[in-house]
Amino acid sequence: MSRARCHALFLAAVSPRGATTRVAVRRGLSAWPVLQEPDMEYQDAVRTLNTLQTNANYLEMVKRKRGDPQTQLEAMKLYLARSGLQVEDLDQLNIIHITGTKGKGSTCAFTERILRSYGLKTGFFSSPHLVQVRERIRINGQPISSELFTKHFWRLYHRLEETKDDSSCVSMPGYFRFLTLMAFHVFLQEKVDLAVLEVGIGGAYDCTNIIRKPVVCGITSLGIDHTGLLGDTMEKIAWQKGGIFKSGVPAFTVLQPDEPLAVLRDRAQQISCPLYLCPPLQALEEGGPPLTLGLEGEHQRSNAALALQVARCWLQQKGYQDAGELKASRPSLPGQLPLAPVFQPTPRMQQGLRHTEWPGRTQLLRRGPLTWYLDGAHTTSSMQACVRWFRQALHRCERPDSGSEVRVLLFNSTGDRDSAALLKLLQPCQFDYAIFCPNLAEMASTDNADQQNFTVTLDQVLLRCLAHQQHWSRLHEEQVSPDPWSTPGQEQDGPASLLLAPHPPHTHSASSLVFSCISHALQWITQGRDPLFQPPSPPRGLLAHPVADSGATVLQEAAAIHVLVTGSLHLVGGVLKLLEPSLSQ
């Protein structure tokens, strides 16, 4: 490892070859200090909500002794009844239910914004949050206020406390279940015209799947993720995702590999669910102007195509006339799914697509000499899309007239994800520095309750960062595999080229560092040059390693610094919390 010049900067040292690690930090995230914030009532509610997170040790035990998932779904219905609602009450929310492996949040965002363009009052439930937990429950695209969150939280919490059964050892639902119940109550209380629900994990046994009559369902692109819960093949995962299908309720999906698509088709046929395959966005653009999307990246076109079909179906089901004029239909091939209609998107649909915002996904922030590229990609397929977007964005950006350019990767990965595979996809981006840190915004007491995480200990996440660093070092030492992103025979200036803009090699290339928190990582990366991120002086010893010291000089003198933040939406959220303080207001 020493050949790759890797260093860990988190109140501890790594032996030169990484053989021994001494982590001199508090054990367990539950030891975080209590906050002193002006909105104490909201923070108290969030801290109480955080007690519903599953303890790390208990979580491991549950994984080893997993019970019948159908029983868990029935338990969710009992929680709903204890909260004062019946499943039938949810019918009036006119729900759009979306699942998938990648792009489901973006598809939900497109869908919600399209329907809001029609003057409808929208509810939107999503996960995870980036900065504040109230982002998960939105009305008309905006997170509910701290006051509304606090009111509904305590109302639901006390209701569940009052109705607990003394014979039961579990009186409260877990974190995600509680927020799902709370979203239902908020949307009903606020009298939304429709609610867009993003599935948490999977579909069949996800707690959002207690709904019985959504208006329409959608399944985004499938891939391998959450294998411990959903299965280790695309077919098993497709079976889980298809569990949101309901008899007689229209459903749409995008183009998938043949095997998982066949599973979705069979799942739909078994319960008489009409399932349609979305034509590509290009088919809807024919004969009209190209559609402008508010979210960057070529992969967003697939999400937008699904969102248009889902939104149009909802409008039709609810009797709206202005839902897009049909074009000439394309026949489906025998044995394949019927194609969804090809139609001309209405001006309001076009407006919705154009104005869609979804922070932390293919997001750019330009701040002085720094350009931040933020994308929460955390599967191999979504990372491939992220790398395409990043490299195309680099190719488009203006080169400085003089001075050097520096590329920095800020990465973390959690859960059972294959971080080595993700890092291998990132290697051809020619980063000068790879920085690894946990999804912990700050070590100091200024951190807030919104980003507390009891499901892992601090030791665990720091050791995981060291493992990422070791994977990166091995990849650098190999340096024998060809660039999987370059296409033989293509001209560099061709429209399909993903080749990077010219990037002269530096003598310090392939250096990597580990920091104890996001704030320390950003302090080193920015070197005080981000006009909005101006933290206190860095802690003593932050530049104690040769790589950090020499890299600081390079960063201070660079004409342009390009920083890709990826691997985890929680990491992206922590970065946004520090770079955009207004998001914490």
Side-chain angles (χ1 to χ4, degrees):
M1 182 189 295
S2 59
R3 290 195 301 265
R5 286 174 293 179
C6 302
H7 297 274
L9 307 177
F10 52 80
L11 311 180
V14 182
S15 68
R17 306 194 69 83
T20 304
T21 304
R22 177 172 58 84
V23 184
V25 293
R26 291 189 304 273
R27 298 186 64 87
L29 299 189
S30 57
W32 289 4
V34 175
L35 307 179
Q36 295 297 324
E37 302 241 350
D39 57 336
M40 284 301 293
E41 288 187 2
Y42 169 71
Q43 291 294 330
D44 284 344
V46 177
R47 276 193 289 270
T48 305
L49 171 67
N50 288 343
T51 67
L52 304 180
Q53 294 183 26
T54 307
N55 174 271
N57 295 328
Y58 179 75
L59 193 63
E60 286 301 315
M61 183 183 72
V62 170
K63 287 181 179 178
R64 291 192 298 268
K65 299 173 59 178
R66 187 173 297 117
D68 180 8
Q70 186 62 41
T71 303
Q72 301 299 313
L73 208 55
E74 293 303 318
M76 182 64 180
K77 294 179 183 178
L78 293 177
Y79 285 125
L80 183 71
R82 283 176 51 196
S83 77
L85 294 176
Q86 299 298 320
V87 174
E88 294 78 8
D89 296 325
L90 306 181
D91 297 347
Q92 59 190 290
L93 290 177
N94 300 314
I95 289 170
I96 296 171
H97 205 193
I98 303 290
T99 190
T101 304
K102 53 185 186 289
K104 63 182 188 290
S106 299
T107 299
C108 288
F110 278 129
T111 304
E112 183 277 331
R113 190 62 185 85
I114 290 169
L115 293 172
R116 185 154 38 104
S117 296
Y118 279 77
L120 295 162
K121 185 175 183 178
T122 63
F124 179 9
F125 178 63
S126 64
S127 61
H129 61 277
L130 293 177
V131 178
Q132 298 197 66
V133 66
R134 58 191 181 88
E135 298 165 22
R136 298 182 183 224
I137 304 174
R138 296 172 181 259
I139 303 293
N140 285 334
Q142 295 300 311
I144 60 174
S145 66
S146 299
E147 294 78 13
L148 194 62
F149 183 96
T150 303
K151 181 183 78 170
H152 281 283
F153 173 83
W154 288 117
R155 181 180 295 173
L156 176 59
Y157 189 88
H158 292 318
R159 174 70 176 173
L160 291 171
E161 276 286 328
E162 293 165 0
T163 58
K164 67 181 180 182
D165 183 354
D166 292 335
S167 64
S168 173
C169 61
V170 180
S171 63
M172 283 287 172
Y175 185 93
F176 184 76
R177 286 182 179 181
F178 189 99
L179 287 171
T180 304
L181 292 170
M182 186 170 154
F184 289 147
H185 280 272
V186 171
F187 295 154
L188 287 167
Q189 186 73 27
E190 295 297 310
K191 295 181 171 56
V192 298
D193 295 314
L194 67 117
V196 180
L197 293 189
E198 178 190 357
V199 166
I201 296 177
Y205 304 118
D206 186 76
C207 65
T208 63
N209 205 31
I210 61 171
I211 61 174
R212 59 172 201 162
K213 286 186 178 179
V215 176
V216 58
C217 298
I219 296 185
T220 66
S221 184
L222 298 180
I224 300 293
D225 197 17
H226 299 294
T227 54
L229 293 172
L230 306 181
D232 55 2
T233 68
M234 291 278 281
E235 291 83 354
K236 292 177 182 177
I237 291 172
W239 188 93
Q240 293 280 353
K241 304 293 184 181
I244 70 168
F245 294 152
K246 304 292 186 294
S247 178
V249 174
F252 298 84
T253 189
V254 296
L255 188 63
Q256 314 278 5
D258 290 342
E259 293 80 5
L261 189 61
V263 173
L264 293 178
R265 181 192 62 214
D266 293 344
R267 285 280 265 167
Q269 289 177 347
Q270 288 168 6
I271 62 167
S272 300
C273 164
L275 176 62
Y276 301 93
L277 184 63
C278 294
L281 196 62
Q282 180 182 353
L284 277 63
E285 292 175 315
E286 291 177 1
L291 295 169
T292 302
L293 306 184
L295 305 183
E296 291 200 13
E298 186 67 21
H299 58 289
Q300 295 292 357
R301 290 176 62 82
S302 171
N303 299 329
L306 177 58
L308 283 168
Q309 295 290 347
V310 167
R312 181 177 188 272
C313 180
W314 190 96
L315 290 167
Q316 287 187 318
Q317 295 282 318
K318 294 302 172 183
Y320 283 77
Q321 300 301 314
D322 182 21
E325 182 179 349
L326 279 178
K327 299 181 180 180
S329 60
R330 299 184 177 189
S332 302
L333 297 176
Q336 292 191 347
L337 287 178
L339 282 176
V342 178
F343 63 93
Q344 177 65 50
T346 67
R348 283 188 280 193
M349 291 177 179
Q350 296 174 37
Q351 176 190 357
L353 292 176
R354 189 167 57 250
H355 292 156
T356 298
E357 296 179 354
W358 196 226
R361 289 81 170 175
T362 59
Q363 181 181 4
L364 264 72
L365 292 176
R366 292 185 174 89
R367 312 269 280 265
L370 289 114
T371 303
W372 300 90
Y373 304 78
L374 307 167
D375 189 77
H378 51 271
T379 68
T380 52
S381 50
S382 60
M383 188 60 74
Q384 287 173 329
C386 170
V387 170
R388 288 192 188 97
W389 162 69
F390 176 64
R391 299 182 75 162
Q392 288 169 342
L394 281 176
H395 197 70
R396 291 194 303 265
C397 72
E398 294 183 10
R399 311 256 74 80
D401 294 332
S402 61
S404 63
E405 290 186 70
V406 179
R407 295 187 188 131
V408 180
L409 169 66
L410 180 56
F411 178 90
N412 192 31
S413 180
T414 61
D416 56 4
R417 298 179 175 95
D418 187 351
S419 58
L422 300 179
L423 290 169
K424 187 169 185 176
L425 291 170
L426 287 160
Q427 188 191 22
C429 291
Q430 302 174 12
F431 291 106
D432 300 297
Y433 296 97
I435 309 302
F436 305 98
C437 68
N439 300 335
L440 177 60
E442 296 172 291
M443 295 295 293
S445 60
T446 53
D447 205 2
N448 67 11
D450 285 282
Q451 296 191 336
Q452 285 184 344
N453 181 357
F454 298 145
T455 64
V456 290
T457 67
L458 193 50
D459 285 9
Q460 288 172 331
V461 295
L462 288 173
L463 290 171
R464 182 72 181 263
C465 290
L466 284 173
H468 301 332
Q469 186 186 45
Q470 290 166 356
H471 288 315
W472 186 259
S473 302
R474 283 194 289 270
L475 288 169
H476 170 62
E477 289 173 355
E478 291 167 3
Q479 282 191 333
V480 293
S481 58
D483 183 348
W485 295 98
S486 56
T487 305
Q490 274 189 343
E491 296 295 328
Q492 285 202 21
D493 296 329
S497 175
L498 294 178
L499 295 177
L500 287 169
H503 184 63
H506 294 290
T507 57
H508 59 270
S509 61
S511 299
S512 61
L513 301 166
V514 173
F515 289 91
S516 59
C517 65
I518 298 170
S519 178
H520 292 174
L522 297 192
Q523 288 178 58
W524 183 82
I525 293 170
T526 60
Q527 295 295 315
R529 302 182 70 189
D530 186 303
L532 295 184
F533 178 66
Q534 297 292 328
S537 300
R540 183 179 299 177
L542 193 63
L543 304 180
H545 292 279
V547 168
D549 194 15
S550 62
T553 302
V554 172
L555 291 165
Q556 290 164 6
E557 296 175 353
I561 305 170
H562 302 279
V563 187
L564 174 62
V565 183
T566 191
S568 167
L569 270 171
H570 298 286
L571 174 67
V572 170
V575 170
L576 279 172
K577 175 184 183 295
L578 297 171
L579 294 183
E580 297 277 18
S582 61
L583 295 176
S584 299
Q585 303 303 315

